[in-house]
Each structure stands twice: as structure tokens, then as C-alpha cells.
Amino acid sequence: MSKKSAKGGKNSKTSKDEPITNPIPNGPVLVDAKTGNLIVKILAKPGAKASGITDVSEEGIGCQIAAPPIDGEANTELIKYLSKLLDLRKSDISLDRGSKSRQKTIVLDKTGCRHSPEQLLTIFRTEAATGS
């Protein structure tokens, strides 16, 4: 029975470790557990008259982009707009996923970005409220 107890103890430790290493994603701004970089989910709307944040939801940050979705122009404009909005260098922002999709994942380098996820959400919500 002591062997079964030991196995039960190991399994309980393993189950405790899993939630820590694999946090459940919550909201549009996350912290990458491995690198510490901030991850922002973007719902892009290219071809707008002006770049701006349209809404903030659990699925992502709605962002209209003043560039057509041709040859990566909208992606470049999105990076440029976010760098200006968040007061970051363009080199601190990278497009991780969604180069040809409206659903994009942006990574903010932890060394260049001094904002917390809560501060980012506040910036995005303020911009969405003033842009409307």
C-alpha cells in the first residue's frame, strides 16, 4: 500500500504543477509564462480611414487600420500605430501570428514594454472610448 500512496503523492504534485505552467488564457492581454513577454490578441479591420482602437472584448482588441491588406501594409501600419499608442519602439513589437488573417497575435518585448497587462487594457479602453 505504501507504493500506491507514493504514486498518489506524485500524481497530486503533477496535477498541482500543470495549472502553474499552463495558465488558462484570460482576456485579450496575457503574459507568456515562458518568456515573460506580453501577448495581445488583435481583431484587425484593415482599410479604414484612420487607425484606432474600436473596442475591447475577451476575444481581442478591435483595431481599425488605415492601410489596405495588401503586401503586409496593414501589418506594418498596425505595428506603427501600436508603437505610437503604447509609447514603444517598433522593434519592441512583433507580429507573432496572423500575418494574413484578421485575428492577429502581437508580442510586446518585456525589456522594452514597462506596462502591465492591466495598464495596457486601460490604455486600449481609453483609446476606444475617445475614438468613438
Side-chain angles (χ1 to χ4, degrees):
M1 283 191 187
S2 61
K3 289 183 180 179
K4 289 182 181 178
S5 299
K7 287 182 181 178
K10 287 182 182 177
N11 288 339
S12 63
K13 286 182 183 178
T14 305
S15 64
K16 285 182 184 178
D17 289 342
E18 288 176 13
I20 295 170
T21 56
N22 282 332
I24 298 171
N26 235 357
V29 180
L30 310 166
V31 177
D32 187 359
K34 292 181 183 177
T35 62
N37 294 334
L38 292 172
I39 299 171
V40 182
K41 298 177 193 172
I42 299 287
L43 303 174
K45 299 162 191 154
K49 290 184 179 180
S51 295
I53 303 296
T54 57
D55 65 327
V56 178
S57 67
E58 289 294 316
E59 292 81 34
I61 307 296
C63 186
Q64 61 185 19
I65 304 165
I70 300 169
D71 296 330
E73 289 181 42
N75 293 332
T76 303
E77 177 64 25
L78 175 63
I79 300 290
K80 182 179 172 185
Y81 171 72
L82 289 176
S83 70
K84 185 177 178 183
L85 176 66
L86 302 175
D87 194 27
L88 298 172
R89 296 177 303 174
K90 287 187 272 185
S91 60
D92 291 332
I93 303 172
S94 61
L95 180 63
D96 186 42
R97 292 189 183 130
S99 64
K100 295 185 178 184
S101 170
R102 289 183 182 226
Q103 296 179 346
K104 301 180 183 300
T105 303
I106 301 290
V107 175
L108 306 178
D109 187 64
K110 68 177 178 182
T111 58
C113 183
R114 293 175 180 82
H115 300 295
S116 69
E118 294 79 19
Q119 290 171 327
L120 287 176
L121 282 173
T122 301
I123 292 168
F124 292 136
R125 287 186 178 123
T126 303
E127 186 68 16
T130 58
S132 298

